Amino acid sequence: MYFLISLHRRGHRHLRHVKDLSTTAHSQLHVPLNHPTFLVWASNTSLGKTLVSTGLAASSLLNPTPKPRKFLYLKPIQTGFPSESDSSSVFHKLSRLSLLRRHNLPHFSLFSSNHILKASFPAANSALGQEISETPHSGMRDLGYYEEAKPEGDVGGGAASQLVCKTLYAWREAVSPHLAAERESGVVEDAAVLELLQKCLRFELEGGGEKGKETEIFCVVETAGGVASPGPSGSLQCDLYRPFRLPGILVGDGRLGGISGTISAYESLKLRGYDIAAVVFEDHGLVNEMPLLSYLRNRVPVLVLPSVPKDLSNDLMEWFDESRGVFDSLKEEMLSAYSKRMMRLQDMPKKAGEIFWWPFTQHQLVPEEAVTVIDSRHGENFAVFKAQNNEFITQQFDACASWWTQGPDTTLQTELARDMGYAAARFGHVMFPENVYEPALECAELLLEGVGKGWASRTFFSDNGSTAIEIALKMAFRKFSYDHGILSDGRKDNTASQRVKLMVLALQGSYHGDTLGAMEAQAPSSYTGFLQQPWYTGRGLFLDPPTVYMCNGVWKLSLPEGLHLEIPKLENKGFSSRDEIFHKIRDKSDLARIYSSYISEQLSQYSGSGGFYHIGALIMEPVILGAGGMHMIDPLFQRVLVNECRSKKIPVIFDEVFTGFWRLGRETAAELLGCVPDIACFAKLMTGGIIPLAATLATNAIFNSFIGESKLKALLHGHSYSGHAMGCTAAVKSIKWFKDPQTNLNITDEGRSLRELWDEDVVQQISSHPAVERVVALGTLFALELRAEGSNAGYASQYASSLLQNLRQDGIYTRPLGNVIYLMCGPCTSPEICSQLLVKLYKRLEDFDQFHQIREENSESYGG
């Protein structure tokens, strides 16, 4: 025999066995995976989500089993409370079902409870039967409503199976949550809903210690209304719960018109990266399952429940008995999906080590436990699987911006997925030469009106940054050859042209890509030696550039050996601010004249009339050398370099594959330099980083050097996926999104730059740390070089490994360039997030410095 205890509590003073889960500070994402947990979605409201949840609870708890089980039902958002309460419905229906089926379950014992954690003031007044005074900004109150049902004589529940039902937030009015929240002064932000949900999951799924691990737990989180119904903040629920990316089941619609609604709901979930284990719906005699199975191509099982009787007098007990087989099958499908997912996640590191060949990675230095298993990405964060004690998903900020490509926040990620799906459905892929289609045309127009404004007239599409560089070199060499009389007839190469050797003018430490031609245009480095590139010769004059950086809170100028002897007084020159470094008033300084003289002297050795070697192009990364160590080049030096080449009719190429599209705080780094190129290469952030695409922009003069009657004079270069529709569509969306103040809150009023993202005080503090050699902070980039010597310095250094592991524990995923550590965000990242990253980095620098001090002391003691 069971008896029911129904308790209404007012405040925490009387609460028993109810832990306050809502008062602690915001915590890092931690979604338990140690037990199967599923979201219950529906294609619309009133389709029976709660009946399905109840049926799953019955299948989990009311079948014979040798050991106790636990079913956790969570309802994060409830409207119409207290007259409507889905958690109360599950609680009461299962209590009745357990009584009816107990004769088939010898030695069965069930302890059930139902909690309502928080409610709006109107909902709390209705539930508690009293008036609680409200303030103008009342918000939500801790309700503390609790009821339980337990076996007679079993005060503590013993080894009974458990049904735990919880409603997290409740509002009185039976309308959409965003309306109820607004009308009852109880708006709850998405982060608060997720945080309370996470605490409930952790408390119930991980809080049982070793005993809890032995208990079989099944959990469902039931959403409110339909897939795209708004939550209490106004966000669609399919977006609200996306950070957790829990697998789900979809309660479809078996009525007339239900096929369309069910498919639309399924597509909305898949578009956002959810996995759906099964579709289930009530039978209305229309055989809706057949078109759905055909559409889903049997990838997802479709289950059909018996029709729900209109007579609810017996609380649907007979219907639940009739539906028992369907619910058992549904539960097995869900358990199978959970097992397969966990097996994949657990096996991935080992399989990856056996079959992947990772780029820029020494496999011998990557043990299996060091492999990061990324379950998904949500905006700027990785969802990372951890198999430590209890398996769970945690969150790591992608401080590599996934190799410098990423820019989307969570909203843009969804927008890009939708727009790219549209492009794929409309165009698939179509070849580009002599054709035009809307995405490519709009993308080209945006590029010429944006990053190419005022100088570029043509767009040449390709597939990646390195290829864009190869194209740019061909363009520049053709223009140089015509301007200098090396080519006189486009139909054939003359004898003189066959003897000429064209070279580039470039900078030491530059990096322009991995393809063979691009590598020839960069100085000798770890990437170009015989070990990596036996064909490399280095076809260029490579100048060692002056750099600027912050040290001890001051921006300083560092001159290469070839220059500092000429201007020793400027060697330790400091700048009053970073803005001073870019100011064009410096163009009239003595330093500018010295730069000009130095560059002219270097170029003179290739300008003789009888030589076969010519500098046919200047190629440089404007402002920042990326892969070369995140060095910031003195912009004055680069401006003078451009002017000197222009005076000698040497075409200028800007490699903006890394620096373009707001990476350095402006849409193009050329704006920072205050000068424009003849040719520029863009990729990475151009598409928001979601799909590869590159563009090489050129002036009309460059384009005209390829015009003629013969096809042989054309630029004979192209790729099967040139100008592909999906990439161009993504680029159009991203280019517009990043520069629009309505979608990118970091855009300043003038619309020409990003606001400062990195806290200047913390940046200065880090630059003064004894473990730090130099710091660069510009736009979305923060970089530091650790003070190191010998094998601890340089690209092959493992010196920073302990620091990186600690940062990953703190929720920051970063990958070094030897002893150079960088943090990279997107153009839309809030300054608050950037500040949090810097604070965590500074704290870990303290630990890093202490670790190496102790290590050095121990080493000295051992040596002595």
Side-chain angles (χ1 to χ4, degrees):
M1 176 68 87
Y2 282 68
F3 65 90
L4 185 68
I5 301 177
S6 182
L7 303 173
H8 299 268
R9 302 300 189 192
R10 299 168 176 81
H12 293 295
R13 185 166 55 92
H14 302 291
L15 285 186
R16 181 167 51 88
H17 304 304
V18 183
K19 185 175 180 178
D20 180 15
L21 300 171
S22 58
T23 57
T24 58
H26 177 70
S27 56
Q28 187 177 335
L29 181 73
H30 181 113
V31 181
L33 293 184
N34 53 331
H35 297 284
T37 303
F38 287 83
L39 283 163
V40 179
W41 300 98
S43 57
N44 209 333
T45 190
S46 302
L47 292 179
K49 291 190 303 294
T50 306
L51 293 180
V52 171
S53 296
T54 306
L56 287 169
S59 179
S60 297
L61 297 175
L62 304 184
N63 281 322
T65 176
K67 56 183 180 180
R69 295 177 178 176
K70 178 176 177 179
F71 188 90
L72 175 62
Y73 171 87
L74 298 177
K75 183 77 174 183
I77 298 166
Q78 175 72 62
T79 59
F81 182 82
S83 58
E84 296 179 22
S85 173
D86 292 336
S87 64
S88 180
S89 174
V90 174
F91 169 75
H92 286 284
K93 281 184 169 59
L94 202 78
S95 296
R96 281 201 65 188
L97 275 171
S98 66
L99 287 173
L100 292 173
R101 296 186 187 176
R102 196 180 181 201
H103 64 278
N104 294 324
L105 300 169
H107 312 296
F108 175 75
S109 178
L110 178 66
F111 178 85
S112 305
S113 63
N114 179 39
H115 312 240
I116 314 296
L117 301 183
K118 287 177 174 289
S120 67
F121 275 75
N125 287 338
S126 296
L128 300 177
Q130 67 179 52
E131 286 295 322
I132 304 171
S133 59
E134 300 181 39
T135 63
H137 305 288
S138 297
M140 307 294 284
R141 66 154 292 176
D142 295 329
L143 183 63
Y145 178 97
Y146 175 74
E147 56 185 340
E148 65 183 27
K150 59 186 178 181
E152 187 175 5
D154 187 355
V155 178
S161 291
Q162 297 180 65
L163 170 68
V164 178
C165 302
K166 293 184 180 182
T167 296
L168 276 56
Y169 292 95
W171 293 265
R172 183 175 64 184
E173 196 170 353
V175 293
S176 180
H178 73 292
L179 284 177
E182 182 180 343
R183 293 173 180 176
E184 298 174 30
S185 300
V187 174
V188 180
E189 295 302 320
D190 295 353
V193 175
L194 293 178
E195 187 168 353
L196 187 52
L197 175 58
Q198 175 175 293
K199 288 176 181 176
C200 289
L201 289 171
R202 294 196 68 180
F203 178 69
E204 297 294 344
L205 302 182
E206 297 180 340
E210 292 302 317
K211 183 179 178 181
K213 289 182 181 180
E214 297 174 2
T215 303
E216 290 185 21
I217 304 177
F218 197 101
C219 173
V220 297
V221 180
E222 185 180 305
T223 61
V227 163
S229 295
S233 74
S235 299
L236 305 185
Q237 287 183 80
C238 49
D239 293 325
L240 191 164
Y241 296 111
R242 177 56 181 81
F244 286 13
R245 209 188 78 85
L246 291 169
I249 59 169
L250 175 62
V251 180
D253 190 346
R255 300 171 300 184
L256 184 64
I259 296 170
S260 176
T262 303
I263 291 174
S264 295
Y266 177 83
E267 292 286 357
S268 293
L269 293 171
K270 296 300 285 186
L271 179 73
R272 289 163 173 80
Y274 288 102
D275 296 324
I276 301 302
V279 175
V280 59
F281 60 86
E282 177 194 353
D283 185 16
H284 286 268
L286 299 176
V287 200
N288 281 7
E289 64 271 21
M290 297 310 294
L292 287 173
L293 282 169
S294 176
Y295 169 76
L296 295 169
R297 299 183 186 276
N298 295 316
R299 291 187 299 265
V300 178
V302 178
L303 295 91
V304 182
L305 290 163
S307 296
V308 177
K310 295 180 180 180
D311 181 9
L312 305 180
S313 58
N314 70 341
D315 213 15
L316 298 179
M317 292 298 104
E318 292 180 3
W319 181 84
F320 279 110
D321 277 339
E322 185 183 356
S323 306
R324 189 170 181 173
V326 179
F327 285 124
D328 287 347
S329 297
L330 177 59
K331 185 194 71 174
E332 290 306 313
E333 292 288 355
M334 296 166 75
L335 289 174
S336 175
Y338 169 76
S339 298
K340 290 176 181 177
R341 183 191 185 196
M342 295 307 298
M343 188 176 298
R344 284 196 306 271
L345 290 170
Q346 292 161 353
D347 291 347
M348 283 168 70
K350 184 176 185 296
K351 288 184 176 180
E354 292 172 346
I355 64 176
F356 282 173
W357 192 336
W358 285 301
F360 293 95
T361 299
Q362 176 50 261
H363 280 239
Q364 193 166 320
L365 300 176
V366 185
E368 184 178 317
E369 60 273 13
V371 176
T372 300
V373 179
I374 299 174
D375 179 67
S376 71
R377 180 190 187 93
H378 186 241
E380 298 158 317
N381 298 304
F382 292 152
V384 175
F385 172 69
K386 295 287 187 181
Q388 304 163 350
N389 299 321
N390 290 324
E391 292 104 339
F392 61 95
I393 293 288
T394 188
Q395 186 172 277
Q396 290 182 353
F397 183 90
D398 177 13
C400 294
S402 278
W403 258 1
W404 319 348
T405 67
Q406 286 293 302
D409 54 16
T410 54
T411 308
L412 178 54
Q413 182 178 347
T414 302
E415 293 270 341
L416 285 169
R418 183 186 300 114
D419 285 7
M420 288 172 63
Y422 167 79
R426 179 179 172 186
F427 294 102
H429 175 59
V430 294
M431 69 180 298
F432 187 51
E434 301 179 43
N435 295 327
V436 62
Y437 38 93
E438 192 174 354
L441 182 61
E442 188 176 4
C443 182
E445 289 174 333
L446 282 172
L447 290 170
L448 297 177
E449 293 166 2
V451 292
K453 188 174 183 178
W455 66 272
S457 65
R458 296 285 172 166
T459 301
F460 193 105
F461 287 115
S462 58
D463 57 349
N464 65 74
S466 184
T467 304
I469 294 294
E470 301 256 359
I471 294 162
L473 290 170
K474 288 184 176 182
M475 291 177 176
F477 290 153
R478 172 70 66 86
K479 182 67 167 70
F480 179 87
S481 297
Y482 272 102
D483 285 350
H484 293 266
I486 297 170
L487 285 176
S488 57
D489 185 351
R491 290 172 294 183
K492 60 181 180 179
D493 292 342
N494 57 38
T495 305
S497 68
Q498 295 174 12
R499 294 197 302 267
V500 167
K501 305 296 182 185
L502 293 181
M503 306 175 69
V504 298
L505 176 62
L507 303 180
Q508 294 280 352
S510 62
Y511 188 81
H512 302 293
D514 299 333
T515 53
L516 298 181
M519 295 188 87
E520 286 295 302
Q522 56 203 44
S525 68
S526 302
Y527 309 111
T528 62
F530 189 86
L531 188 64
Q532 295 294 334
Q533 221 292 52
W535 279 4
Y536 174 79
T537 59
R539 304 182 191 188
L541 169 61
F542 303 108
L543 302 182
D544 197 1
T547 59
V548 287
Y549 60 93
M550 180 183 283
C551 182
N552 294 320
V554 178
W555 284 95
K556 296 181 178 181
L557 172 68
S558 175
L559 298 168
E561 289 185 11
L563 277 172
H564 86 227
L565 295 177
E566 299 182 35
I567 38 179
K569 293 181 181 179
L570 296 175
E571 171 63 21
N572 294 312
K573 173 179 171 54
F575 298 92
S576 60
S577 68
R578 190 185 62 203
D579 290 344
E580 184 189 349
I581 299 169
F582 292 98
H583 208 294
K584 294 196 75 172
I585 198 171
R586 297 180 64 210
D587 291 359
K588 299 178 181 179
S589 66
D590 290 339
L591 182 59
R593 287 189 288 274
I594 292 170
Y595 282 165
S596 178
S597 175
Y598 168 73
I599 293 166
S600 182
E601 181 183 344
Q602 294 295 314
L603 285 173
S604 64
Q605 58 186 302
Y606 292 96
S607 61
S609 58
F612 292 127
Y613 289 93
H614 295 264
I615 299 295
L618 164 65
I619 181 169
M620 66 180 188
E621 300 166 88
V623 185
I624 296 287
L625 302 185
M630 298 298 176
H631 288 282
M632 182 171 168
I633 307 304
D634 184 0
L636 174 62
F637 181 82
Q638 290 193 317
R639 267 198 310 273
V640 172
L641 198 54
V642 169
N643 292 336
E644 287 295 323
C645 288
R646 284 264 159 74
S647 70
K648 295 175 172 56
K649 292 187 177 181
I650 298 173
V652 175
I653 303 169
F654 281 3
D655 177 355
E656 293 226 45
V657 171
F658 167 54
T659 61
F661 296 103
W662 309 99
R663 181 58 73 205
L664 303 184
R666 295 288 186 97
E667 188 171 24
T668 166
E671 293 181 43
L672 287 171
L673 280 187
C675 59
V676 296
D678 302 299
I679 306 166
C681 303
F682 297 92
K684 298 192 185 298
L685 264 174
M686 185 167 74
T687 64
I690 202 163
I691 191 170
L693 182 73
T696 305
L697 273 57
T699 63
N700 208 49
I702 296 290
F703 175 74
N704 286 338
S705 66
F706 288 84
I707 298 301
E709 295 179 1
S710 171
K711 185 174 182 178
L712 296 178
K713 194 176 180 182
L715 178 50
L716 303 181
H717 193 117
H719 295 269
S720 299
Y721 289 96
S722 294
H724 61 92
M726 290 177 68
C728 289
T729 298
V732 166
K733 172 67 74 173
S734 300
I735 291 169
K736 290 180 177 179
W737 191 279
F738 292 149
K739 66 168 60 177
D740 185 351
Q742 298 297 314
T743 51
N744 183 2
L745 300 180
N746 290 331
I747 295 292
T748 58
D749 293 336
E750 301 82 10
R752 294 190 59 197
S753 61
L754 299 180
R755 58 177 170 163
E756 195 64 44
L757 299 179
W758 308 102
D759 186 284
E760 294 182 38
D761 292 336
V762 184
V763 169
Q764 291 181 4
Q765 195 173 358
I766 291 175
S767 77
S768 303
H769 196 281
V772 174
E773 182 73 25
R774 63 176 177 91
V775 160
V776 171
L778 184 64
T780 67
L781 170 68
F782 174 88
L784 67 83
E785 181 179 346
L786 294 170
R787 186 164 284 138
E789 298 177 352
S791 62
N792 286 333
Y795 181 73
S797 168
Q798 296 292 311
Y799 187 60
S801 57
S802 63
L803 175 59
L804 297 179
Q805 291 305 314
N806 286 335
L807 287 173
R808 291 182 186 182
Q809 290 177 17
D810 291 340
I812 302 174
Y813 182 93
T814 186
R815 199 169 187 268
L817 293 163
N819 60 315
V820 173
I821 306 295
Y822 64 88
L823 304 175
M824 201 177 293
C825 65
C828 302
T829 308
S830 72
E832 292 74 22
I833 290 177
C834 293
S835 294
Q836 293 170 13
L837 297 174
L838 288 180
V839 169
K840 289 180 179 180
L841 174 59
Y842 185 81
K843 289 179 179 178
R844 287 305 188 178
L845 278 172
E846 293 283 276
D847 298 338
F848 175 80
D849 193 39
Q850 292 175 11
F851 170 77
H852 282 280
Q853 284 182 7
I854 294 171
R855 192 173 180 179
E856 287 177 9
E857 291 171 2
N858 291 340
S859 178
E860 290 174 4
S861 300
Y862 180 78

